[in-house]
Amino acid sequence: MITLWQPASAALWQGRNDLTEADNALRIFQTIRHRTVFKPEAEGIALMGFACDEGVKRNHGRPGAHKGPDALRSALANMASHRGHDRLVDLGNIHAAPDALEAAQDALSVAVKLCQQAGMRTLVLGGGHETAFGHGRGLLDAWPDARIAIVNIDAHLDLRRAARATSGTPFRQLAQHCAQQQREFHYTCIGVNPAANTQALLDEAARLNVNIIWDTDCQRPEQPQAAMQIAALLAWADKVYLTIDLDALPGWQMPAVSAPAGLGIPLDTLLTLLAPLCRSPKLQAVDLVEFNPEFDRDNLGAKVAARLAWQIVHDWRTTNMHG
């Protein structure tokens, strides 16, 4: 039994019906497998929401990200269903009660672990970046003997020291979890804004041997430094966990976050950067976090985030898929 879990509303999955044109004129709302009970399957991609912004509140950010999962479902629903999108299985949301972040993270970890052990990959829609501790810990626990590379697309290192978990602490928490399991903490953060990270955070990153790629080094499509880092981690890792904080995108493309970026990584450049990861069978888990519908403009942020999720799923390879 998964605590704090609810199925997503089936009403979120609706869109235009073009089946009168051809039997393959399909959209995601027509190919998604919507489940009303939490029961991991033997294959596919488990789409789950983490309806939580308790960590954002604790980190003095703008609340509203708890509405992100369902808003992104609605944005995905009417997009065309191409190769790979029929592997999506909607396994509902974990809902955080007020000031009960830790319980929600525990529930997400258990849900992710069960999905991974059953044979599914996991796509989690946040929620604040506190999502990453629950998701990442679930992956680590599901694969205790695997070398897992953590890749964070983010303007912030999220290695803060704090008395309680927040949206700014998840990777420090994952480092501590790895230390408890006596395994390597292999963390790469791409798109880091040096003006948004104190020297204390940079010192902590150095102590933990974090690989950093600055936002200024992510402005060209080829991004040679980031490409080399990704090639190296793919060579090292058995499995990869990719977490995308949407505030890594420029504020003009992604206004709907707690902390919009002044520079950021443009969407087309980010898609080029992510392609090798998403085409690798080692990619095991992905999340998109910090989407906040309260601050969206003309649904621009929802469309950008959904397009990113669409492309990741389209490119996501598994050991059972080729080509």
Side-chain angles (χ1 to χ4, degrees):
M1 180 68 178
I2 300 297
T3 60
L4 306 177
W5 181 86
Q6 294 178 9
S9 171
L12 297 168
W13 296 110
Q14 56 183 303
R16 173 173 168 159
N17 189 335
D18 289 329
L19 288 176
T20 55
E21 297 179 21
D23 59 8
N24 63 349
L26 294 167
R27 298 178 187 271
I28 289 178
F29 80 93
Q30 294 166 310
T31 60
I32 190 86
R33 287 172 275 165
H34 179 259
R35 300 296 185 243
T36 56
V37 295
F38 183 85
K39 186 177 181 181
E41 303 180 9
E43 60 181 4
I45 299 172
L47 174 68
M48 291 186 286
F50 188 61
C52 175
D53 54 15
E54 293 302 308
V56 174
K57 294 175 185 176
R58 292 181 186 182
N59 203 31
H60 310 296
R62 304 191 297 182
H66 67 283
K67 298 179 180 178
D70 285 354
L72 292 181
R73 282 182 171 93
S74 292
L76 274 168
N78 201 44
M79 290 185 166
S81 183
H82 291 181
R83 184 197 64 233
H85 296 117
D86 59 350
R87 292 183 290 133
L88 285 170
V89 183
D90 188 347
L91 286 183
N93 294 326
I94 302 293
H95 289 266
D99 204 31
L101 170 57
E102 290 78 7
Q105 288 175 319
D106 289 346
L108 179 60
S109 289
V110 172
V112 168
K113 180 180 178 180
L114 290 173
C115 289
Q116 292 280 341
Q117 290 180 331
M120 306 186 83
R121 286 162 167 81
T122 45
L123 172 62
V124 178
L125 305 176
H129 217 161
E130 60 266 31
T131 305
F133 179 56
H135 196 182
R137 182 176 58 175
L139 183 66
L140 289 163
D141 291 349
W143 304 99
D145 299 320
R147 294 187 297 187
I148 294 179
I150 300 168
V151 182
N152 181 24
I153 309 297
D154 201 342
H156 309 95
L157 289 164
D158 288 345
L159 292 168
R160 289 183 179 275
R161 296 174 181 267
R164 297 191 300 169
T166 76
S167 61
T169 65
F171 301 101
R172 179 174 171 77
Q173 292 175 272
L174 287 174
Q176 293 170 336
H177 192 67
C178 286
Q180 291 167 0
Q181 293 186 337
Q182 297 184 317
R183 65 198 294 179
E184 184 174 352
F185 175 61
H186 193 290
Y187 175 36
T188 298
C189 194
I190 300 173
V192 178
N193 175 3
N197 293 270
T198 65
Q199 188 60 51
L201 290 170
L202 298 179
D203 290 346
E204 183 69 2
R207 185 183 73 83
L208 294 170
N209 296 314
V210 176
N211 300 314
I212 295 176
I213 301 294
W214 305 107
D215 56 0
T216 50
D217 294 324
C218 296
Q219 301 306 307
R220 290 182 295 161
E222 62 271 20
Q223 303 168 96
Q225 289 181 309
M228 287 189 292
Q229 288 274 16
I230 288 173
L233 70 86
L234 282 173
W236 174 85
D238 297 319
K239 299 185 184 297
V240 176
Y241 164 42
L242 171 64
T243 175
I244 302 173
D245 189 328
L246 293 166
D247 73 16
L249 290 158
W252 55 267
Q253 278 189 328
M254 179 50 66
V257 290
S258 179
L263 181 61
I265 309 172
L267 180 61
D268 56 343
T269 303
L270 182 57
L271 290 172
T272 301
L273 170 67
L274 294 180
L277 283 172
C278 297
R279 292 171 184 168
S280 169
K282 294 183 178 182
L283 184 63
Q284 196 70 25
V286 178
D287 56 53
L288 283 76
V289 303
E290 296 283 348
F291 177 69
N292 188 334
E294 297 282 347
F295 299 97
D296 209 354
R297 297 196 301 263
D298 300 322
N299 290 322
L300 172 63
K303 291 175 182 177
V304 168
R307 179 66 172 83
L308 181 55
W310 185 97
Q311 193 66 49
I312 289 170
V313 174
H314 181 56
D315 288 346
W316 203 341
R317 296 291 190 269
T318 75
T319 52
N320 297 321
M321 293 183 67
H322 305 281

